[in-house]
Structures are given as structure tokens and as C-alpha cells.
Amino acid sequence: MTIFFIHFGEIPVHLKLSMNQVIKYHPDAICILLTDCTTFKLKGLQTIRINEYTKSADEFSRYYKHMSTNSYKFELICFQRWFVLKDFVNKNSINETFIYLDSDVLVYQNLFEVIDLEGYKMTVTKGYGPQYSIFENASSINHFCDFIIYNYTNNEKINSLVNNYKINFLNKNLNGGICDMTLLGLYNFEGNCKDIFWNNSYYFNSTLSNINNDLKDLGYNAGGFNLNFFVFSNSCPKLNNIKIGALHFQGSNKAQIHRYYKGRYKYYYYIIGELNLFLNTFKRKLKSKKKQFKFLK
């Protein structure tokens, strides 16, 4: 049983919390961080140099066509992580079920025990979310990466992606564009994925700020989320009697991840996190006041 994280650059606090919590709920699993920040160490985690596993990722960069208002580097890396994962599992002969997690998720269950792939190649969340990706074996990640390559090298497929970007983003003047989630959505549409969002036993959310919409989609009344109970309860965290499998702290939600963390040194991280929130709020208010003062002058 192996769980992977992939990250370039300095290790942020939210990733440290994510990894600590994974280790807590998966005591028998091998937890690996593939990174270029090789000085980072964490008890229960193997830190491995990513440079040895970038051959396929570098090859993909030759085919990648940027179609997003986000930066070229950001979107490319989001794609390349799958190829890094592919090279690692193949080079190290990992041919059993393994998990890849985004850097901004907190898990609350042993995912190997609560998720049955039922013959699917991998998991997806709410149609196209890659934040909790469980792969059946090495051939599954190979198949997904081959699918990505095909969509960027076949003329009909690449033209379809270009039209998607023009119609749904450029013409509507919207931010975003074609990303790895777009490809995962297409891969899911072809019947390759198990969507763990529609799981009757455990809740795997889309992202923290979307909880009320998630509950509506699952057929529950919105507004049932009690933050204080969740943070301080010693029982298994729940939402409307659904056991939480994992939570995703996408974008600005990362600033709140300490409030939901249940791993090692949780009280320390909670205090530090609240202090940072207070300081950032104070800085924003001060900046706003300065702008108002300049305007009045």
C-alpha cells in the first residue's frame, strides 16, 4: 500500500498537515513525497528526489498546448505530475492499488479500506476532480497518461480542446481553461473512473467552500455543517450523519486547513493558523484604509 504526494518548490504548511494526517490514518502504508525539495523530512514519510522520474513529464511538455488564463507553468505541472507518478510506479514495479493525493486535502479514513474500485481504473470526484486519486495498479496510470498524450497529439482531439477553450472561456471572458481536470473529466466520461463523490457511506467533497452545494447534490439539506463540532469533537467527523472520507482545501480555502486538521501537533498548528488568519485580515484592512486615505487626500 503506497500513498503519493508530488510537489515542486518549498514545502507549504498545508502540505505538511496533509501528509501528517495521511500518516495518522494509514499507519501501515508507505507514504512518499516526490519533490525537488530534498532537505525536507517528516516522520513516517519517504522524501524522494523527483528529478529521476521526469522523463515522461519532459516528453509531454513537447506536446502540451496552453489553453488557459492560468500560467503556462502552473497548468503544465498539473499535467506533468501524472507522468512523474507513472515513471515512479513503473520504475519501482508498484503493481498494486496506490493513491495519489493533492497537497491540500485532509483524509479521515483509511482509504484502502473504505474505497473499492470495483474494476474501475481509478477514482474521480464529482465528475472531474483529481484530489483523491486511487489507481487500481500501474497499468491504470499508464492508461490515463496514454489518454492524455492521445488527446494532445490527435488532430481531431486537440481541435476539440481548442474549441472547448474558445466557447466556454474566451467567448465568455471567464478565467481558467483546459487543464488536467478537463482531461480527467473526458477520461471519466469514457467509463474509466469510479466517482467517489456519489458514495453512500463516506463524503469526499469537491472543495471546502462548496460544502452546502455538495450536500444539496447528495440530497441533504444545506446549512447542516457545524464547524465548531467538527473541529473539537473526538468522534468521527460527520456531515448530516455521513462519515467524512476526506476534505479538499482548494485555493483560498487552504488558509483554513488548520481548523480541520486532526494529526500530530494539532493544537500548535491551530494556534499558528489562527494567528496567521488574524494577521492577514489585519493587513488587508490596513491596506484598504490606506487606499481610502489616499483617495481622500
Side-chain angles (χ1 to χ4, degrees):
M1 297 185 295
T2 311
I3 302 175
F4 293 95
F5 291 90
I6 297 173
H7 188 78
F8 292 89
E10 186 179 350
I11 307 302
V13 172
H14 64 262
L15 176 54
K16 295 176 184 178
L17 299 189
S18 296
M19 294 187 294
N20 259 323
Q21 188 138 321
V22 162
I23 292 167
K24 173 182 177 179
Y25 285 95
H26 300 81
D28 298 323
I30 298 171
C31 297
I32 294 174
L33 170 64
L34 290 162
T35 181
D36 53 357
C37 184
T38 54
T39 58
F40 177 76
K41 291 183 179 180
L42 183 67
K43 184 179 180 181
L45 178 81
Q46 294 182 23
T47 303
I48 296 177
R49 290 178 61 87
I50 203 170
N51 297 353
E52 299 176 24
Y53 305 99
T54 59
K55 181 179 179 181
S56 295
D58 293 338
E59 290 175 355
F60 172 73
S61 66
R62 302 204 310 265
Y63 307 120
Y64 175 66
K65 180 179 178 65
H66 190 60
M67 295 172 276
S68 174
T69 59
N70 295 324
S71 74
Y72 173 90
K73 182 178 180 181
F74 172 80
E75 295 292 10
L76 178 59
I77 286 177
C78 286
F79 275 104
Q80 286 182 314
R81 58 180 171 170
W82 304 112
F83 294 90
V84 169
L85 185 61
K86 166 182 172 286
D87 282 1
F88 185 91
V89 298
N90 283 284
K91 190 171 183 179
N92 290 278
S93 302
I94 298 175
N95 202 30
E96 59 183 4
T97 300
F98 61 90
I99 299 172
Y100 166 78
L101 295 173
D102 275 359
S103 64
D104 52 3
V105 305
L106 292 178
V107 300
Y108 300 91
Q109 312 290 334
N110 186 316
L111 302 186
F112 291 104
E113 295 178 355
V114 302
I115 297 296
D116 181 1
L117 279 170
E118 300 176 325
Y120 289 97
K121 289 182 171 60
M122 65 179 291
T123 59
V124 69
T125 304
K126 215 171 185 180
Y128 55 87
Q131 57 266 37
Y132 330 106
S133 294
I134 304 172
F135 290 88
E136 184 181 30
N137 48 38
S139 66
S140 299
I141 184 65
N142 293 340
H143 191 264
F144 180 46
C145 287
D146 288 345
F147 178 83
I148 295 174
I149 291 288
Y150 178 68
N151 275 269
Y152 273 86
T153 54
N154 178 275
N155 288 335
E156 182 180 346
K157 296 295 183 182
I158 195 66
N159 287 336
S160 177
L161 293 177
V162 170
N163 288 333
N164 183 339
Y165 180 48
K166 287 180 180 177
I167 294 170
N168 294 307
F169 294 93
L170 292 181
N171 292 350
K172 296 178 181 179
N173 199 30
L174 295 176
N175 291 327
I178 305 303
C179 60
D180 67 319
M181 291 187 291
T182 309
L183 274 295
L184 182 54
L186 295 172
Y187 191 65
N188 175 49
F189 183 75
E190 293 194 358
N192 295 299
C193 305
K194 177 176 181 176
D195 196 328
I196 57 175
F197 178 77
W198 308 105
N199 185 316
N200 293 326
S201 302
Y202 296 92
Y203 170 53
F204 291 87
N205 83 322
S206 53
T207 190
L208 185 72
S209 56
N210 206 40
I211 281 180
N212 283 334
N213 287 332
D214 281 356
L215 291 175
K216 285 181 181 179
D217 290 339
L218 290 170
Y220 292 85
N221 292 325
F225 182 64
N226 188 323
L227 174 63
N228 291 327
F229 173 80
F230 177 85
V231 172
F232 299 110
S233 172
N234 290 321
S235 62
C236 177
K238 295 180 180 180
L239 280 175
N240 289 53
N241 295 319
I242 312 175
K243 291 181 180 178
I244 296 177
L247 295 174
H248 182 210
F249 298 82
Q250 188 179 34
S252 60
N253 293 306
K254 290 179 180 64
Q256 296 189 59
I257 194 170
H258 63 280
R259 291 178 169 175
Y260 302 80
Y261 174 65
K262 289 185 172 290
R264 288 178 293 194
Y265 314 119
K266 62 180 180 180
Y267 297 112
Y268 165 77
Y269 283 114
Y270 182 82
I271 293 170
I272 296 299
E274 287 298 302
L275 180 60
N276 284 333
L277 277 177
F278 173 79
L279 291 175
N280 289 333
T281 301
F282 177 78
K283 288 178 182 177
R284 285 195 298 270
K285 289 182 178 179
L286 184 62
K287 188 175 182 180
S288 177
K289 291 291 184 183
K290 286 182 177 179
K291 285 183 178 180
Q292 292 177 14
F293 181 73
K294 286 181 180 179
F295 177 78
L296 291 173
K297 288 178 68 178

